[in-house]
């Protein structure tokens, strides 16, 4: 993959990261993303994953988007699946085909995003520690 492609993904992650609530909550994030996109709804559709099928999907409709994700996996993996589909949505990928480049971009977006989220708890603890120290004088 070209270096500029990875930078493009990284830039999108940094932009969208501003909408990520702390502590992380995918539903709150999607609400904020909806607001950011002029109120266009993103409907989550939970589905049991079956062997051989994909773990998620995105279907744009005239006035809303539907994101399907597998429920029979860890909540971390569910978030990765949802973010992967959000990646397709934000990059404006075509739907109804499996383009290897698009898949790579969406997956990198989801992984980078979750990696950023996972770095947060430590910072939250630091803030808490600092506040406690201040309170104790
Ligand atoms: Zn995909």
């Amino acid at each position: 993959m070209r270096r500029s492609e990875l930078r493009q993904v990284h830039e999108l992650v940094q932009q969208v990261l501003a909408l990520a609530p702390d502590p992380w909550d995918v539903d709150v994030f999607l609400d904020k993303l909806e607001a950011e996109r002029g109120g266009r709804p993103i409907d989550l559709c939970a589905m049991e994953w079956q062997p051989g099928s994909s773990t998620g999907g995105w279907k744009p409709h005239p006035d809303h988007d539907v994101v399907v994700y597998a429920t029979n996996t860890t909540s971390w993996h569910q978030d990765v699946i949802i973010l992967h589909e959000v990646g397709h949505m934000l990059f404006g990928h075509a739907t109804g085909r499996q383009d290897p480049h698009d898949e790579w971009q969406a997956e990198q977006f989801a992984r980078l995003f979750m990696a950023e989220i996972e770095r947060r708890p430590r910072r939250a603890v630091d803030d808490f520690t600092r506040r406690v120290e201040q309170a104790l004088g």
Side-chain angles (χ1 to χ4, degrees):
M1 275 312 145
R2 293 205 313 272
R3 183 172 269 245
S4 63
E5 303 249 349
L6 196 55
R7 193 166 53 227
Q8 203 186 341
V9 175
H10 195 79
E11 276 167 11
L12 183 65
V13 168
Q14 292 305 321
Q15 275 173 31
V16 180
L17 209 53
L19 303 174
D22 192 1
W24 169 246
D25 181 318
V26 74
D27 293 316
V28 175
F29 167 69
L30 290 177
D31 285 348
K32 289 181 164 194
L33 188 59
E34 283 176 359
E36 188 72 14
R37 300 168 79 225
R40 181 178 161 88
I42 302 165
D43 293 343
L44 280 183
C45 177
M47 230 179 49
E48 183 153 338
W49 177 79
Q50 305 288 342
S53 66
S54 66
T55 53
W58 161 52
K59 179 110 176 64
H61 292 270
D63 58 352
H64 70 288
D65 291 288
V66 175
V67 167
V68 180
Y69 69 101
T71 47
N72 48 335
T73 182
T74 62
S75 68
W76 180 85
H77 190 211
Q78 289 176 18
D79 288 356
V80 171
I81 294 167
I82 292 166
L83 287 166
H84 175 108
E85 301 306 332
V86 165
H88 280 309
M89 196 188 300
L90 297 177
F91 279 116
H93 292 157
T95 55
R97 69 193 174 106
Q98 290 272 97
D99 180 89
H101 173 260
D102 289 358
E103 291 310 316
W104 176 86
Q105 246 185 351
E107 193 60 20
Q108 286 301 314
F109 172 79
R111 300 284 167 167
L112 277 172
F113 195 97
M114 285 308 280
E116 292 288 346
I117 294 299
E118 279 159 13
R119 276 167 33 181
R120 285 181 158 183
R122 240 173 290 138
R123 201 170 59 206
V125 169
D126 289 348
D127 286 346
F128 178 75
T129 306
R130 197 159 48 235
R131 282 205 309 273
V132 169
E133 280 168 2
Q134 277 168 1
L136 294 176

